[in-house]
Amino acid sequence: MSEYKLLINGKLVDGAKSSPVLNPATEEAVAACPRASEAQLNEAVSAAKAAFPSWSATPIAERKKVLSAIADAIEANASELARLLTQEQGKPIGDATGEVYGTAAFFRYFTMLDLPVKIIEDSEGKKVEAHRRPLGVIGAIVPWNFPMILMAFKLPPALLAGNTVVLKPAPTTPLTSLKLGELIKDIVPAGVVNIIADENDLGAALTAHPDVRKISFTGSTATGQKVMAGAAGLLKRITLELGGNDAGIVLDDVNPKEAAPKLFQSAFQNSGQVCIAMKRLYVHEKIYDEMCDELANIANNTIIGDGLKQGTQLGPLQNKMQFEKVKELIEDAKKTGNVIAGGETPDEKGYFIRPTIVRDITDGTRLVDEEQFGPVLPVIKYSDPDDAIARANASPYGLGGSIWSNDKDKAYELATKLESGSVWINKHADLAPNIPFGGARLSGLGSELGEEGLAEFTQLKIINMAK
Ligand code: NAD
């Protein structure tokens, strides 16, 4: 029997079956994980539905106290959660610790927001108010790259607004979510938060469930499209945070030595498994050779290994499927580009790929056009910044992008031309709970975080009174 349990209707329960979660650094089992049946999923949704009337009627100040108590519980158990996160996800323990504390901070941020009634018009003839009402049961579906922080994009605003939740983590990284269930069991009223793990087989059922009013989904574009189709029948609300192929564009006035460490971090954090990782880098021809050399030098000096080991800078890929996909993209890139760092997988257990830099490669190759979601960066030469912008915008994705230059006005002007949900200048992937985040085109629908993210967990209701 597993030491981990599902959380359904305020009770910690075993799954209908159980299967191991593998540590991607060792390929050995971290723990047996309970896996829910569809009947258990239905129980979780019923529990959330039954808990909704009372939770939604609970004053917002009381709901905030629950969010704060969850944040306290996460912080009080931070080292255990971080260790577990490293074991199931692979990231270095320092990064895992940052993710755990970040998760608590996201819960705390939402305690500072309110949903006041807005007066739209108060004139002689009428008074019009805008209310934000909770939706009901929310299905929250999370991927495997940031199991904790991505959960915290969803749970705190959903709960603050008065909704109840069924949370489904990714099948390869469910343990931190289940541990959270254990920690919050006595903090959250029964049924308000339910946490189930699956074998990648319950997402569709959760999406289609008639009692689920909204799906908040983070994951791949292909699955996001299925979620949208699955939600169509009942016109469910959906928020989709999907894949990306973020471009970084470096202008000719940048000092390669100074910028390379920041660019490297933007592309390789979490071994490149970040939706808003820089996934293709356009560098001006004047500084191209020097920038490639600097990046290769950093890559060659990066320590990869088990995230629990002192000194590890990059961990493994999270799962075998992703590992194989990234290897395939590297092999394909070798046909047209030159690999100047990495390119090989160490001959040892674990899904490790050394950080890989590919130069002399361009658009029209798989590594540039597709989302690699791994530790490999194509560096592309350009001569005209407007052409680089056009190539960046040619992607079907539109999640993020960045411009790098010492000329702030020029960088700003180019930033206005990048067609993506977020654009950064002289940095990349700077996320915070108060800054709304969402994608353009195939990168998603709607936004999370900030006041806009909170509003997406509500139904706008207008009360229009004659005077
Ligand atoms: P995925 O789409 O395979 O899985 C995501 C989640 O969806 C998992 O919990 C999975 O079990 C569930 N799922 C599977 N089939 C489903 C279905 N038919 N209906 C509903 N849910 C279903 O994604 P992944 O491989 O776990 O994650 C990697 C992808 O996520 C990358 O493309 C990455 O860019 C993207 N991502 C996006 C963001 C963002 O905020 N935009 C953040 C992180 C990751």
Side-chain angles (χ1 to χ4, degrees):
M1 217 191 297
S2 167
E3 62 174 297
Y4 295 92
K5 307 279 180 198
L6 313 174
L7 177 64
I8 300 176
N9 201 15
K11 295 197 179 62
L12 295 174
V13 299
D14 288 320
K17 51 195 163 172
S18 154
S19 55
V21 169
L22 294 187
N23 179 335
T26 61
E27 297 177 57
E28 282 161 14
V30 179
C33 173
R35 310 285 180 172
S37 60
E38 193 163 338
Q40 287 180 307
L41 166 70
N42 292 337
E43 276 174 45
V45 175
S46 297
K49 187 182 178 188
F52 177 70
S54 146
W55 180 248
S56 56
T58 302
I60 194 165
E62 293 302 312
R63 297 202 294 258
K64 288 183 183 190
K65 282 186 195 156
V66 170
L67 294 192
S68 294
I70 296 175
D72 292 343
I74 292 170
E75 282 172 355
N77 293 275
S79 21
E80 189 187 349
L81 283 166
R83 203 179 152 78
L84 188 58
L85 181 55
T86 291
Q87 286 175 306
E88 70 173 352
Q89 204 285 329
K91 66 188 65 189
I93 187 73
D95 293 357
T97 305
E99 182 172 342
V100 170
Y101 279 105
T103 301
F106 275 45
F107 273 88
R108 288 201 201 288
Y109 162 73
F110 281 99
T111 66
M112 297 188 296
L113 297 191
D114 280 292
L115 288 162
V117 174
K118 212 163 127 185
I119 309 295
I120 298 201
E121 185 177 334
D122 192 358
S123 58
E124 235 171 64
K126 61 178 157 182
K127 183 173 182 191
V128 185
E129 297 176 347
H131 295 240
R132 289 274 171 191
R133 301 296 307 149
L135 293 164
V137 179
I138 307 293
I141 303 180
V142 177
W144 43 256
N145 56 342
F146 289 92
M148 291 224 73
I149 201 92
L150 292 175
M151 170 277 294
F153 281 39
K154 306 178 188 309
L155 243 63
L159 296 175
L160 180 74
N163 303 285
T164 56
V165 179
V166 175
L167 167 69
K168 194 200 84 57
T172 55
T173 55
L175 299 178
T176 41
S177 296
L178 298 181
K179 181 73 200 168
L180 179 76
E182 192 188 313
L183 297 176
I184 66 172
K185 177 178 87 69
D186 297 322
I187 295 175
V188 179
V192 170
V193 176
N194 304 271
I195 306 177
I196 56 159
D198 70 341
E199 287 181 329
N200 215 23
D201 53 352
L202 293 181
L206 178 59
T207 304
H209 198 295
D211 290 332
V212 172
R213 299 294 309 280
K214 175 189 167 103
I215 295 289
S216 174
F217 174 85
T218 303
S220 62
T221 295
T223 311
Q225 286 161 330
K226 288 186 197 158
V227 169
M228 193 168 185
L234 290 171
L235 277 187
K236 285 182 192 179
R237 278 30 180 178
I238 48 173
T239 301
L240 304 175
E241 296 290 357
L242 310 177
N245 193 9
D246 288 15
I249 300 178
V250 185
L251 303 194
D252 62 0
D253 64 352
V254 163
N255 176 340
K257 214 178 189 58
E258 274 171 24
K262 293 181 205 156
L263 294 166
F264 185 85
Q265 172 70 8
S266 305
F268 289 92
Q269 190 216 349
N270 209 35
S271 295
Q273 302 163 113
V274 184
C275 53
I276 42 170
M278 184 187 286
K279 292 182 178 137
R280 40 192 180 132
L281 181 60
Y282 292 87
V283 179
H284 192 273
E285 58 187 358
K286 211 172 105 189
I287 55 167
Y288 183 77
D289 290 336
E290 204 187 329
M291 184 65 86
C292 288
D293 291 347
E294 290 294 337
L295 289 168
N297 188 32
I298 299 170
N300 287 329
N301 287 304
T302 298
I303 300 163
I304 67 167
D306 188 325
L308 288 182
K309 252 196 222 150
Q310 197 71 27
T312 292
Q313 292 170 304
L314 293 181
L317 276 291
Q318 199 281 319
N319 58 72
K320 187 149 195 330
M321 210 166 92
Q322 192 61 26
F323 177 60
E324 297 299 338
K325 184 187 154 189
V326 175
K327 282 199 296 182
E328 191 183 301
L329 286 177
I330 292 175
E331 284 314 307
D332 187 73
K334 284 178 183 169
K335 291 184 206 155
T336 51
N338 287 309
V339 174
I340 53 170
E344 78 281 358
T345 52
D347 190 17
E348 56 191 57
K349 270 207 169 270
Y351 307 135
F352 292 103
I353 296 178
R354 280 213 57 84
T356 299
I357 307 286
V358 185
R359 60 166 289 167
D360 308 317
I361 188 162
T362 192
D363 308 68
T365 50
R366 287 188 65 193
L367 181 60
V368 178
D369 294 353
E370 294 180 22
E371 181 187 39
Q372 68 272 46
F373 218 62
V376 46
L377 180 67
V379 188
I380 305 140
K381 192 191 286 188
Y382 77 86
S383 51
D384 171 10
D386 282 323
D387 174 50
I389 293 280
R391 289 200 251 165
N393 287 342
S395 169
Y397 294 111
L399 196 56
S402 58
I403 309 286
W404 300 71
S405 172
N406 292 315
D407 180 341
K408 295 218 165 82
D409 293 339
K410 179 74 187 160
Y412 187 86
E413 183 216 322
L414 291 172
T416 62
K417 295 180 179 171
L418 262 187
E419 291 163 5
S420 55
S422 301
V423 182
W424 295 277
I425 295 176
N426 292 328
K427 58 182 175 175
H428 199 104
D430 178 17
L431 278 191
N434 60 328
I435 305 174
F437 170 66
R441 303 190 294 282
L442 288 189
S443 288
L445 201 66
S447 38
E448 293 194 288
L449 304 179
E451 290 178 358
E452 287 79 357
L454 175 60
E456 293 211 10
F457 285 100
T458 65
Q459 171 66 47
L460 180 62
K461 176 176 171 182
I462 302 294
I463 299 185
N464 190 335
M465 297 166 266
K467 273 192 177 166

PDB file of all heavy atoms in Angstrom, residues 222-235:
ATOM      1  N   ALA A 222      -1.477  20.200 -28.112  1.00  0.00           N
ATOM      2  CA  ALA A 222      -2.300  19.100 -28.633  1.00  0.00           C
ATOM      3  C   ALA A 222      -3.363  18.703 -27.603  1.00  0.00           C
ATOM      4  O   ALA A 222      -4.535  18.513 -27.955  1.00  0.00           O
ATOM      5  CB  ALA A 222      -1.410  17.908 -28.972  1.00  0.00           C
ATOM      6  N   THR A 223      -2.976  18.608 -26.338  1.00  0.00           N
ATOM      7  CA  THR A 223      -3.961  18.233 -25.316  1.00  0.00           C
ATOM      8  C   THR A 223      -4.924  19.391 -25.061  1.00  0.00           C
ATOM      9  O   THR A 223      -6.122  19.171 -24.856  1.00  0.00           O
ATOM     10  CB  THR A 223      -3.259  17.808 -24.005  1.00  0.00           C
ATOM     11  OG1 THR A 223      -2.244  16.860 -24.314  1.00  0.00           O
ATOM     12  CG2 THR A 223      -4.228  17.166 -23.045  1.00  0.00           C
ATOM     13  N   GLY A 224      -4.422  20.609 -25.123  1.00  0.00           N
ATOM     14  CA  GLY A 224      -5.279  21.783 -24.946  1.00  0.00           C
ATOM     15  C   GLY A 224      -6.396  21.808 -25.979  1.00  0.00           C
ATOM     16  O   GLY A 224      -7.541  22.181 -25.680  1.00  0.00           O
ATOM     17  N   GLN A 225      -6.068  21.383 -27.195  1.00  0.00           N
ATOM     18  CA  GLN A 225      -7.106  21.343 -28.236  1.00  0.00           C
ATOM     19  C   GLN A 225      -8.184  20.313 -27.889  1.00  0.00           C
ATOM     20  O   GLN A 225      -9.375  20.536 -28.115  1.00  0.00           O
ATOM     21  CB  GLN A 225      -6.462  21.038 -29.595  1.00  0.00           C
ATOM     22  CG  GLN A 225      -5.701  22.253 -30.124  1.00  0.00           C
ATOM     23  CD  GLN A 225      -4.687  21.922 -31.208  1.00  0.00           C
ATOM     24  OE1 GLN A 225      -4.126  20.826 -31.236  1.00  0.00           O
ATOM     25  NE2 GLN A 225      -4.431  22.868 -32.092  1.00  0.00           N
ATOM     26  N   LYS A 226      -7.740  19.187 -27.289  1.00  0.00           N
ATOM     27  CA  LYS A 226      -8.728  18.174 -26.867  1.00  0.00           C
ATOM     28  C   LYS A 226      -9.603  18.726 -25.741  1.00  0.00           C
ATOM     29  O   LYS A 226     -10.801  18.461 -25.686  1.00  0.00           O
ATOM     30  CB  LYS A 226      -8.012  16.912 -26.367  1.00  0.00           C
ATOM     31  CG  LYS A 226      -7.360  16.113 -27.468  1.00  0.00           C
ATOM     32  CD  LYS A 226      -6.806  14.817 -26.902  1.00  0.00           C
ATOM     33  CE  LYS A 226      -5.806  14.209 -27.867  1.00  0.00           C
ATOM     34  NZ  LYS A 226      -4.885  13.288 -27.216  1.00  0.00           N
ATOM     35  N   VAL A 227      -8.982  19.501 -24.848  1.00  0.00           N
ATOM     36  CA  VAL A 227      -9.750  20.082 -23.742  1.00  0.00           C
ATOM     37  C   VAL A 227     -10.813  21.025 -24.301  1.00  0.00           C
ATOM     38  O   VAL A 227     -11.979  20.998 -23.896  1.00  0.00           O
ATOM     39  CB  VAL A 227      -8.818  20.826 -22.750  1.00  0.00           C
ATOM     40  CG1 VAL A 227      -9.617  21.662 -21.756  1.00  0.00           C
ATOM     41  CG2 VAL A 227      -7.929  19.828 -22.016  1.00  0.00           C
ATOM     42  N   MET A 228     -10.410  21.828 -25.267  1.00  0.00           N
ATOM     43  CA  MET A 228     -11.365  22.781 -25.849  1.00  0.00           C
ATOM     44  C   MET A 228     -12.533  22.031 -26.500  1.00  0.00           C
ATOM     45  O   MET A 228     -13.704  22.397 -26.313  1.00  0.00           O
ATOM     46  CB  MET A 228     -10.654  23.649 -26.877  1.00  0.00           C
ATOM     47  CG  MET A 228     -11.466  24.851 -27.284  1.00  0.00           C
ATOM     48  SD  MET A 228     -10.435  25.992 -28.216  1.00  0.00           S
ATOM     49  CE  MET A 228     -11.573  27.334 -28.438  1.00  0.00           C
ATOM     50  N   ALA A 229     -12.206  20.962 -27.223  1.00  0.00           N
ATOM     51  CA  ALA A 229     -13.271  20.185 -27.867  1.00  0.00           C
ATOM     52  C   ALA A 229     -14.155  19.536 -26.804  1.00  0.00           C
ATOM     53  O   ALA A 229     -15.385  19.547 -26.906  1.00  0.00           O
ATOM     54  CB  ALA A 229     -12.653  19.131 -28.786  1.00  0.00           C
ATOM     55  N   GLY A 230     -13.529  18.992 -25.756  1.00  0.00           N
ATOM     56  CA  GLY A 230     -14.277  18.303 -24.700  1.00  0.00           C
ATOM     57  C   GLY A 230     -15.177  19.236 -23.914  1.00  0.00           C
ATOM     58  O   GLY A 230     -16.191  18.823 -23.360  1.00  0.00           O
ATOM     59  N   ALA A 231     -14.794  20.502 -23.851  1.00  0.00           N
ATOM     60  CA  ALA A 231     -15.570  21.471 -23.071  1.00  0.00           C
ATOM     61  C   ALA A 231     -16.679  22.102 -23.903  1.00  0.00           C
ATOM     62  O   ALA A 231     -17.542  22.796 -23.366  1.00  0.00           O
ATOM     63  CB  ALA A 231     -14.639  22.563 -22.542  1.00  0.00           C
ATOM     64  N   ALA A 232     -16.657  21.863 -25.217  1.00  0.00           N
ATOM     65  CA  ALA A 232     -17.564  22.593 -26.113  1.00  0.00           C
ATOM     66  C   ALA A 232     -19.036  22.268 -25.865  1.00  0.00           C
ATOM     67  O   ALA A 232     -19.881  23.155 -25.885  1.00  0.00           O
ATOM     68  CB  ALA A 232     -17.205  22.302 -27.571  1.00  0.00           C
ATOM     69  N   GLY A 233     -19.332  20.986 -25.605  1.00  0.00           N
ATOM     70  CA  GLY A 233     -20.725  20.557 -25.475  1.00  0.00           C
ATOM     71  C   GLY A 233     -21.502  21.392 -24.476  1.00  0.00           C
ATOM     72  O   GLY A 233     -22.629  21.795 -24.736  1.00  0.00           O
ATOM     73  N   LEU A 234     -20.887  21.656 -23.328  1.00  0.00           N
ATOM     74  CA  LEU A 234     -21.596  22.415 -22.290  1.00  0.00           C
ATOM     75  C   LEU A 234     -21.107  23.855 -22.231  1.00  0.00           C
ATOM     76  O   LEU A 234     -21.374  24.571 -21.257  1.00  0.00           O
ATOM     77  CB  LEU A 234     -21.406  21.726 -20.930  1.00  0.00           C
ATOM     78  CG  LEU A 234     -22.141  20.383 -20.821  1.00  0.00           C
ATOM     79  CD1 LEU A 234     -21.739  19.638 -19.558  1.00  0.00           C
ATOM     80  CD2 LEU A 234     -23.656  20.576 -20.846  1.00  0.00           C
ATOM     81  N   LEU A 235     -20.363  24.266 -23.247  1.00  0.00           N
ATOM     82  CA  LEU A 235     -19.783  25.618 -23.280  1.00  0.00           C
ATOM     83  C   LEU A 235     -19.115  25.966 -21.960  1.00  0.00           C
ATOM     84  O   LEU A 235     -19.339  27.032 -21.385  1.00  0.00           O
ATOM     85  CB  LEU A 235     -20.859  26.661 -23.608  1.00  0.00           C
ATOM     86  CG  LEU A 235     -21.176  26.851 -25.072  1.00  0.00           C
ATOM     87  CD1 LEU A 235     -22.123  28.027 -25.241  1.00  0.00           C
ATOM     88  CD2 LEU A 235     -19.931  27.093 -25.904  1.00  0.00           C
TER      89      LEU A 235
END
